[in-house]
Amino acid sequence: MRQTTLPDQTAKLIGLGFEKPESLKIYRGDTVFLTMERHYSIGELIEILPQVIGFEEKGVFYPLRVTPTVGGGWVISYCKEYDERNNELIDALYDMIIKLKEERVI
């Protein structure tokens, strides 16, 4: 299971105005040089997501749910309108953040 966002995902989140990630990933190549890059961790993405989404006009509020599936994937959901599924937890979280940002929920 991947623990951090991919470089293009990281760049998109930063481009959308989210704070730069704290997680530092170090890559060691065949040479003495190390490459260090910052990527969002699973925890950082969970912190970006609201714990509850409310629809005041309907008088209902939905909590954030992070659920593993029987097949090994993950579901990130609040309600039917906000339901993202992916085999990787990090990708499901990322997809939900993008959806909520595009719909101006966050």
Side-chain angles (χ1 to χ4, degrees):
M1 177 166 72
R2 205 170 77 249
Q3 301 290 314
T4 60
T5 53
L6 297 170
D8 62 318
Q9 292 172 325
T10 302
K12 182 161 185 169
L13 291 171
I14 292 169
L16 288 172
F18 293 102
E19 287 187 35
K20 291 184 179 178
E22 295 293 322
S23 299
L24 188 62
K25 194 170 189 177
I26 301 172
Y27 300 93
R28 182 171 179 204
D30 293 336
T31 63
V32 179
F33 300 104
L34 298 177
T35 303
M36 295 184 288
E37 296 179 359
R38 294 205 180 272
H39 298 280
Y40 293 94
S41 67
I42 290 170
E44 287 174 303
L45 295 185
I46 289 173
E47 287 180 9
I48 290 172
L49 288 169
Q51 294 302 302
V52 176
I53 289 180
F55 296 94
E56 291 183 37
E57 66 279 359
K58 296 179 184 178
V60 294
F61 298 88
Y62 299 101
L64 170 64
R65 294 189 179 164
V66 179
T67 312
T69 64
V70 175
W74 292 87
V75 178
I76 309 301
S77 64
Y78 292 95
C79 56
K80 284 193 282 185
E81 292 90 358
Y82 298 104
D83 183 297
E84 293 294 328
R85 298 162 187 263
N86 202 298
N87 287 334
E88 291 282 349
L89 174 57
I90 194 90
D91 292 335
L93 293 165
Y94 170 82
D95 292 342
M96 180 59 77
I97 290 169
I98 297 301
K99 182 174 192 162
L100 293 179
K101 187 69 171 177
E102 287 174 352
E103 295 189 13
R104 295 191 168 115
V105 175
I106 57 174

